[in-house]
Amino acid sequence: MKKTIPILLLLVSLYTHAQAVRKYSNEFMNIGVDAAALGMSNAVTAFTGDVNSGYWNPAGLLKIEDHEAALMHASYFANIAQYDYAAYAKKIDDQSAWGISLIRFGVDDILNTTQLIDSEGNIDYNRISLFSTADYGLTFSYARKMKLEGFQYGVNAKVIRRVIGDFANSWGFGIDAGLQLDRNGWHFGLMLRDITTTYNVWAIDEDKYNQIKDAVEGQNQEMPESTEITLPKAQLGIAKKFEFHYDYTLLAAVNLNMQFAQTNDIISTSAVSIDPAVGFEFSYTDLVFLRAGVGNFQNVEQIDGTTKVNFQPNIGLGFKYKGIQVDYALTDLGDQSAALYSNIFSVKVDLSIFR
């Protein structure tokens, strides 16, 4: 029972100590989608070209032949947090395409023990209730070819909804933009996330807040700020596919993931921090896929004061038959030492097979 109180306080304190601009605001939108991409350590900015491009780089939606749908589910932190994703995309004509996707990241059935003790100091277990905390991201995507041969661009309009039981909720809005260039077998891509600095406005129930602000003496004494801004991020990618005897192919891809703030990334300055990622996909007759990647290179300070570079390796495999593709990835939210690896499955369907 005691464990539920720190969980509740942690959720609320995220907003108590918030500033208007947060380095890690709306981070659930950066986890990633599609087991195929996650197996390659997310190094897909340059070549993505299916329904999942609405997330990775909307310019890639133009590579869809007809219309597609995708689903993914993942559990994190020993099944405490659930991550779900669904998407649909359709080609409009030879020059344009559109898509829509929804992400939910939530923790359900959290025990609310803030009213466990009644006004007379007695413990009353009937006063315990349940609540959920969930983040939602709804994205509308549009892609179009440019007049320059090989160039295409895409934009995302995002609506963010975040809910913490009856305590607080917010709405947010933002824009992404992507660009791809295919030339002589090489693929180049640029994805700019939150280029308008995604803006969240919070509504906080003051009565609910007043009930918990004194749960831990000296903490949560001030009302949280009602606004937050998500800073822009950028991904720059390059990829190339190599063919062997027609039946075998090897796709190699590199991403440079950039944040415009100083972090623990392996390359870090006051202006920009860069985390490289490398991914590979081996394919046999476009039927069976084996994937591997490495990314999330971080400078981590050790107990003795020295610095060690940690990284996160990922692996995955996939199978495609008659327009239906099932993919698997072994990945996590942190680095290789966190021991929080999750088994992730996703499904992608070319809906034209049902015509």
Side-chain angles (χ1 to χ4, degrees), residues 185-247:
W186 288 89
H187 307 279
F188 305 89
L190 174 65
M191 178 63 171
L192 302 175
R193 298 186 182 275
D194 303 303
I195 58 175
T196 56
T197 59
T198 297
Y199 189 77
N200 286 67
V201 178
W202 283 90
I204 302 169
D205 189 312
E206 294 189 23
D207 292 335
K208 295 284 186 181
Y209 180 78
N210 289 330
Q211 292 175 3
I212 67 168
K213 72 175 185 178
D214 294 319
V216 178
E217 185 177 354
Q219 297 185 19
N220 303 317
Q221 299 299 304
E222 298 180 3
M223 181 67 69
E225 294 191 22
S226 60
T227 61
E228 63 177 342
I229 295 175
T230 303
L231 295 176
K233 296 182 177 66
Q235 286 89 42
L236 180 64
I238 183 173
K240 185 175 177 58
K241 180 178 285 189
F242 303 90
E243 295 186 1
F244 307 95
H245 305 293
Y246 301 101
D247 291 334

Side-chain angles (χ1 to χ4, degrees), residues 131-153:
F131 75 98
S132 297
T133 175
D135 299 329
Y136 300 87
L138 180 64
T139 301
F140 301 91
S141 306
Y142 177 78
R144 189 169 183 83
K145 285 186 178 180
M146 301 176 68
K147 293 182 178 180
L148 295 175
E149 183 180 357
F151 278 95
Q152 53 204 37
Y153 71 89

Side-chain angles (χ1 to χ4, degrees), residues 61 63-68 88-92 97-98 350-353 355:
L61 291 174
K63 299 176 182 177
I64 294 176
E65 295 182 0
D66 197 321
H67 60 151
E68 297 178 355
Y88 173 82
K90 180 177 176 62
K91 195 149 189 177
I92 300 173
W98 70 275
D350 181 351
L351 296 174
S352 64
I353 65 175
R355 290 183 175 178

Side-chain angles (χ1 to χ4, degrees), residues 33 71-74 82-86 102-106 135:
V33 303
L71 295 171
M72 189 189 87
H73 172 75
Q82 306 299 317
Y83 182 80
D84 296 285
Y85 161 78
L102 176 65
I103 290 175
R104 180 188 186 272
F105 185 73
D135 299 329

Side-chain angles (χ1 to χ4, degrees), residues 20 27 32 69 83 90 94 130 149 181 253 268-269 274 317 349:
E27 276 298 288
Y83 182 80
K90 180 177 176 62
D94 290 338
L130 300 176
E149 183 180 357
L181 167 63
S268 181
T269 68
I274 302 176
L317 55 88
V349 181

Side-chain angles (χ1 to χ4, degrees), residues 11 25 40 49 70 76 126 133 137 142 144 157 180 202 204 214 223 232 245 247 261 270 272 313 327 337-338 343 351:
L11 292 170
S25 173
M40 296 181 65
Y76 292 105
N126 293 322
T133 175
Y142 177 78
R144 189 169 183 83
Q180 282 186 337
W202 283 90
I204 302 169
D214 294 319
M223 181 67 69
H245 305 293
D247 291 334
S270 58
V272 62
D327 295 296
S337 65
N343 298 294
L351 296 174

